[in-house]
Amino acid sequence: VQLQASGGGLVQAGESLRLSCAASGIIFAINAMAWYRQAPGKQRELVAGVTSGGSTNYADSVKGRFTISRDNAKKTVYLQMNDLKAEDTAVYYCNADLLVPGTEGLGVYPYWGQGTLVTVSS
């Protein structure tokens, strides 16, 4: 079971990027999914989250600019980032709570993607 993130890159301020994160492996259900980011010298922070029912939440710094969505059939979560700013520069990580087989039966475990770098030049 793994999460594979993609879509990062180098853009100029004001431009857009779309991140994707696909889950693969033996997965019985996907609960909450989220994107976090970690800028150089800073702690990892929550950017946006989406529940299995589709409810979303955002960090104040990205409200109105970023949109999180998910495609349950594709086991994928997306982050549409518009009007990017230099302060959005960071490594972005996806996170998901997955119902998977464990040593003691089915259980919900948090998984992390490998991170994708977003660099915004001003």
Side-chain angles (χ1 to χ4, degrees), residues 29-106:
I30 303 177
N31 293 346
M33 306 182 84
W35 287 95
Y36 288 74
R37 67 185 180 187
Q38 186 166 20
K42 296 187 177 181
Q43 290 188 333
R44 190 173 298 188
E45 63 174 357
L46 175 67
V47 176
V50 57
T51 68
S52 57
S55 297
T56 59
N57 64 287
Y58 297 91
D60 288 342
S61 59
V62 306
K63 283 181 181 177
R65 299 188 297 121
F66 291 11
T67 302
I68 189 171
S69 62
R70 60 191 285 170
D71 185 329
N72 292 326
K74 295 182 178 180
K75 300 178 182 176
T76 300
V77 62
Y78 305 97
L79 186 67
Q80 178 66 43
M81 305 184 294
N82 298 330
D83 189 23
L84 283 160
K85 304 177 180 181
E87 51 263 42
D88 295 318
T89 295
V91 177
Y92 284 71
Y93 298 90
C94 57
N95 169 271
D97 292 332
L98 307 179
L99 179 63
V100 299
T103 56
E104 297 181 359
L106 291 178

